[in-house]
Amino acid sequence: MKFGTKAIHAGVEPDPSTGAIMTPIFQTSTYVQRSPGDHQGYEYSRTHNPTRTALQNNLAALENGKHGICFSSGLGAIDAVIKLFSPGDEIVSTSDLYGGTYRLFTKVFERYGIKFHFVPMDNPEKIEEKINSNTKMLWVETPTNPMMNIIDLELMGKIAKKHGVLLAVDNTFASPYLQNPLNLGADIVMHSVTKYLGGHSDVVMGALILNDDKLAEQLVFIQNACGATPGPQDCFLVLRGIKTLHLRMERHSQNGKTIAAYLKNHPKVEKVYWPGFEDHVNHEIAKKQMRDFGGMISFTLKGNSLADAKKVMEGFKLFALAESLGGVESLCGHPASMTHASIPKEEREKVGLVDSLIRLSVGVEDAEDLKNDLSSALAAI
């Protein structure tokens, strides 16, 4: 099936008891057994739930994977991945990544003896310098949050295979519609399902998708043993959201292109970070591994004034100042004080995350209205 057909049909069947075309919300904690151990595949809803099963199968199909595993948040999914490892193990991560991931790595798991190296992954030599006999995984975001850097996944796959380590990719910014890391050599794909997959700012959830049976068995064990599982209502909402994923991503990408071009030509804007520009350092790699360039954009203001950045964000009428991204409505955020505040200032600025940087999640509204909103807000400085 092509992507749009998979989004609507993969992993989903009409309910056999009623013929309902939508997957029912199995709002139950437990299941009746005919005899001890004699059940219909479901015992307890932390372990399995039919609504969650349908979603996990759908997500696996969208990423061209074999196994989908859902968690109560994106960080819950990342937490499960790191629990694969032991004290003394090392992980090499991109230096430009979501602040919550950085916080989980450095403030939680480093306490248990797992070591993390943060390097710019546009330079293979710097990655290989950090790989040693203790290295177990490469952790990659692309596009990165919030600097919109593009990392060559095919190259990362080759490096991981060469050194016998896992490659895990946070594919949240791209969604399965724009990019499929398993096809390019990844072992694990992670999504904050909260974002584009849910698409309507009404769910918090995470997911892992992979092909390896043994690795999937380990992660399913962690999912059940540690208990960070989503409820059936949230699974139902994500299944509903996914049915329009391809349509939404097309519009997000169209609007993203329009807004990025508008900002690039604005006299008060210093720099725009969006991989669709031909002068983006890794534009050709983005063209190779992505279907389109998406609706995530970051930009800085001339003068790098925090006060000016605040004025702009306070002046928006359509771009709501809020955490998160990927919903149908447009959002703006200030990474230095919001999503990436847990990263020390000196570390943020090493990757270009300055105080005036504003991150936009361009929604599916009319692009002219979004341009007018930007024009009005920028006029305040």
Side-chain angles (χ1 to χ4, degrees):
M1 290 186 285
K2 302 296 184 184
F3 188 91
T5 310
K6 285 198 291 187
I8 295 168
H9 294 289
V12 178
E13 298 288 343
D15 178 51
S17 64
T18 65
I21 194 165
M22 295 301 295
T23 302
I25 302 169
F26 286 91
Q27 195 70 52
T28 184
S29 61
T30 193
Y31 307 82
V32 173
Q33 303 186 24
R34 291 177 288 263
S35 179
D38 181 8
H39 52 76
Q40 299 179 63
Y42 296 92
E43 301 166 84
Y44 188 60
S45 273
R46 186 189 69 248
T47 307
H48 298 292
N49 177 280
T51 315
R52 191 170 89 220
T53 297
L55 174 60
Q56 291 177 155
N57 291 340
N58 181 260
L59 290 171
L62 294 184
E63 281 289 11
N64 300 323
K66 187 175 179 182
H67 304 281
I69 311 168
C70 286
F71 297 82
S72 54
S73 69
L75 281 168
I78 300 170
D79 175 83
V81 173
I82 308 305
K83 283 174 178 169
L84 293 168
F85 307 113
S86 303
D89 289 344
E90 300 187 13
I91 294 168
V92 180
S93 168
T94 179
S95 55
D96 170 25
L97 79 168
Y98 169 51
T101 306
Y102 180 90
R103 179 180 60 223
L104 180 66
F105 288 175
T106 59
K107 301 298 184 183
V108 177
F109 282 104
E110 282 192 347
R111 293 170 52 215
Y112 299 105
I114 298 175
K115 187 173 182 179
F116 297 86
H117 303 279
F118 299 95
V119 302
M121 287 190 162
D122 57 350
N123 188 335
E125 292 181 2
K126 289 188 177 180
I127 298 171
E128 299 207 65
E129 282 175 7
K130 297 296 184 182
I131 296 176
N132 57 58
S133 59
N134 294 324
T135 306
K136 297 296 187 290
M137 184 174 73
L138 306 182
W139 181 269
V140 176
E141 278 185 20
T142 182
T144 62
N145 181 4
M147 302 309 300
M148 304 305 297
N149 289 314
I150 299 295
I151 296 169
D152 188 334
L153 291 178
E154 194 170 13
L155 176 60
M156 293 303 106
K158 290 177 180 176
I159 292 173
K161 187 173 182 180
K162 172 184 174 182
H163 293 279
V165 302
L166 294 172
L167 172 60
V169 178
D170 182 339
N171 201 30
T172 299
F173 266 30
S175 86
Y177 178 77
L178 296 182
Q179 181 172 272
N180 300 120
L182 293 178
N183 293 358
L184 300 168
D187 298 289
I188 302 170
V189 174
M190 194 287 296
H191 282 280
S192 174
V193 177
T194 309
K195 312 306 195 293
Y196 285 112
L197 286 162
H200 293 80
S201 303
D202 54 8
V203 172
V204 174
M205 192 186 296
L208 303 173
I209 301 98
L210 60 160
N211 281 313
D212 185 85
D213 294 342
K214 183 178 179 181
L215 193 56
E217 184 179 346
Q218 291 176 287
L219 288 164
V220 167
F221 172 83
I222 293 168
Q223 177 200 42
N224 182 51
C226 298
T229 52
Q233 173 74 29
D234 285 349
C235 292
F236 172 87
L237 288 172
V238 174
L239 277 168
R240 185 177 68 170
I242 285 173
K243 290 181 185 296
T244 59
L245 177 64
H246 55 304
L247 305 176
R248 290 186 284 107
M249 293 309 299
E250 288 172 3
R251 184 59 174 263
H252 284 302
S253 297
Q254 290 168 8
N255 282 357
K257 181 178 181 179
T258 299
I259 297 305
Y262 173 80
L263 288 169
K264 192 172 188 178
N265 293 315
H266 198 285
K268 295 181 180 179
V269 172
E270 178 69 28
K271 189 166 184 180
V272 182
Y273 300 89
W274 183 67
F277 290 136
E278 290 187 1
D279 60 359
H280 185 285
V281 65
N282 274 342
H283 174 69
E284 291 303 316
I285 293 171
K287 279 176 61 178
K288 180 181 72 171
Q289 68 188 29
M290 299 175 72
R291 291 185 179 92
D292 209 332
F293 305 109
M296 294 303 301
I297 301 167
S298 293
F299 68 99
T300 56
L301 301 170
K302 288 183 177 176
N304 188 29
S305 165
L306 177 58
D308 283 349
K310 286 183 176 179
K311 283 182 182 177
V312 170
M313 289 182 283
E314 290 166 357
F316 284 129
K317 297 293 188 292
L318 293 178
F319 283 93
L321 177 59
E323 300 269 0
S324 201
L325 59 105
V328 291
E329 62 287 305
S330 292
L331 300 178
C332 75
H334 184 243
S337 64
M338 295 169 70
T339 53
H340 291 67
S342 59
I343 301 177
K345 182 179 175 70
E346 61 272 18
E347 294 299 318
R348 295 197 304 262
E349 293 188 342
K350 282 180 186 178
V351 298
L353 204 170
V354 296
D355 283 347
S356 79
L357 187 99
I358 297 170
R359 191 190 75 183
L360 300 181
S361 173
V362 181
V364 300
E365 303 95 336
D366 189 287
E368 287 301 312
D369 290 330
L370 296 178
K371 284 167 58 177
N372 290 339
D373 196 37
L374 281 164
S375 177
S376 176
L378 287 165
I381 60 174

